[in-house]
Amino acid sequence: MDQKLKVGILGGTGMVGQRFISLLENHPWFEVVAIAASPRSAGKTYEEAVGGRWKMHKAMPEAVKNIVVMNVNEVEKVASEVDFVFSAVDMSKEEIRAIEDAYAKTETPVVSNNSAHRWTPDVPMVVPEINPEHFEVIEAQKKRLGTKRGFVAVKPNCSIQSYAPALFALKEFGPKEVVATTYQAISGAGKTFKDWPEMVENIIPFIGGEEEKSEQEPLRLFGKVVDGKIEKAAAPLITTQCIRVPVLDGHTAAVFVNFEKKPTKEEIIDRWENFKGLPQELELPSAPKQFIRYMEEDNRPQVKLDIDFENGMGISMGRLREDTMFDYKFVGLSHNTVRGAAGGAVLCAELLTAQGYITAK
Ligand SMILES: N[C@@H](CC=O)C(=O)O
């Protein structure tokens, strides 16, 4: 790419916004030129606006420290500075839908981490290795919005990343019933232990709205495009329990599954280890070389040891064995704020750029 695309981060001061800023440091195609947040932060430099609330392990990139934060509600002004935006705004669902549509209507593509648009029929919700063909609905969406290049695309919830890709890789065997329990890190709620002391040595067996997302979103991912809309898949039937655990980063899932046609253990491991999609074929900058790996050791994957596999963009599976009630059970681990949030959105934007949906204005 001759010149980098100019990127804005909406909601740049929060946990996911910070993750976008951190992942985009030295990105070969994209350069952060604008950061927008609430009116409270507007007018301050990014460094001042974040203050002591920088939550990434890596230091704040020098290149963004002096960017003056803009008011996210001044849509035209922010949009005039960028080729496209990532959205991690923290508002009500109605407000998020309205503001993301408003940016799209200024002819600015929006790649969003938010859940607000995940069930809008002509908004693609994509994991680039699983359902890149869903980007086709962008044409129908542009007609609805009356735009030429502006649209909204989203990525799914972080909780499903540790099992949905693993089930998709086994689709030839027809996964039909799935029971998944997720053990979700506190960064999924945008928190650290400092801001959530109640989570130290504790487990909270409730995450608002999470079980519905974890049961339904995989079906939209596995669905197909019909007449410019996504039609969700009918199978597998999924039931989940989502539990908050005292871990900073890393969502683990313990999964039981029945198949139409029961594979062997060797077949499952083979399909996982060899699973590839368009990002690998196109060698997109953030694509993991290996998306899914299988770990033979009985005590893996572990959050502390395995979360950064493929820079947080790969997922780790383990403990695959036959079960007394189901065909198989296994454990999966993914990085919730990288693959599960900002990293997943960056990979979507890379694919959208490679396919010509995102261009310089
Ligand atoms: N809702 C999730 C975050 C994923 O996007 C969580 O609370 O962990």
Side-chain angles (χ1 to χ4, degrees), residues 5-23:
L5 294 173
K6 291 183 272 177
V7 176
I9 312 292
L10 310 182
T13 52
M15 171 86 90
V16 177
Q18 292 182 21
R19 182 63 78 181
F20 275 120
I21 301 263
S22 182
L23 288 177

Side-chain angles (χ1 to χ4, degrees), residues 49-289:
V50 171
R53 295 174 296 115
W54 179 254
K55 295 176 181 175
M56 302 296 106
H57 294 307
K58 260 171 54 180
M60 183 184 287
E62 286 302 320
V64 298
K65 283 187 176 169
N66 290 320
I67 291 182
V68 176
V69 176
M70 301 172 93
N71 178 347
V72 73
N73 300 311
E74 293 181 1
V75 176
E76 295 281 347
K77 194 168 161 195
V78 178
S80 69
E81 309 240 326
V82 300
D83 294 314
F84 77 100
V85 293
F86 288 108
S87 171
V89 289
D90 185 13
M91 299 172 173
S92 73
K93 283 200 179 169
E94 290 80 57
E95 287 169 330
I96 293 172
R97 275 193 287 269
I99 202 161
E100 291 183 348
D101 284 355
Y103 274 91
K105 285 180 181 167
T106 66
E107 302 294 1
T108 306
V110 178
V111 182
S112 177
N113 182 63
N114 294 305
S115 64
H117 262 309
R118 287 188 195 146
W119 289 93
T120 305
D122 58 12
V123 171
M125 179 179 80
V126 168
V127 171
E129 286 89 346
I130 294 182
N131 59 334
E133 73 283 2
H134 287 197
F135 285 143
E136 279 169 34
V137 300
I138 287 172
E139 291 313 320
Q141 188 196 142
K142 284 185 191 164
K143 278 196 195 121
R144 172 174 61 84
L145 295 173
T147 58
K148 287 198 167 54
R149 70 185 294 283
F151 62 86
V152 180
V154 302
K155 50 145 290 293
N157 199 48
C158 54
S159 62
I160 73 170
Q161 317 274 347
S162 39
Y163 60 91
L167 295 172
F168 183 77
L170 304 175
K171 65 175 192 282
E172 69 190 274
F173 305 110
K176 61 175 183 186
E177 288 156 340
V178 176
V179 178
T181 305
T182 62
Y183 303 89
Q184 300 190 204
I186 63 172
S187 59
K191 304 270 205 259
T192 61
F193 287 108
K194 203 167 127 211
D195 4 271
W196 202 1
E198 189 189 359
M199 276 310 300
V200 177
E201 294 185 40
N202 198 10
I203 280 179
I204 297 183
F206 175 70
I207 305 174
E210 202 71 356
E211 290 170 0
E212 295 79 353
K213 291 177 191 165
S214 305
E215 290 167 3
Q216 291 301 315
E217 289 188 12
L219 299 177
R220 191 167 199 250
L221 277 189
F222 303 160
K224 57 179 193 247
V225 178
V226 181
D227 296 334
K229 294 181 179 154
I230 312 294
E231 201 166 87
K232 74 174 188 176
L237 185 62
I238 304 175
T239 180
T240 64
Q241 291 203 78
C242 298
I243 297 181
R244 190 72 74 195
V245 296
V247 157
L248 181 60
D249 287 320
H251 285 2
T252 298
V255 182
F256 297 81
V257 56
N258 275 333
F259 294 94
E260 296 290 350
K261 178 175 157 268
K262 185 176 173 182
T264 64
K265 183 175 174 185
E266 292 68 31
E267 283 174 321
I268 295 179
I269 295 172
D270 171 77
R271 298 313 185 270
W272 282 346
E273 293 255 320
N274 292 302
F275 180 66
K276 283 190 179 16
L278 256 189
Q280 287 69 34
E281 213 175 281
L282 298 174
E283 298 184 8
L284 297 177
S286 303
K289 286 207 169 15

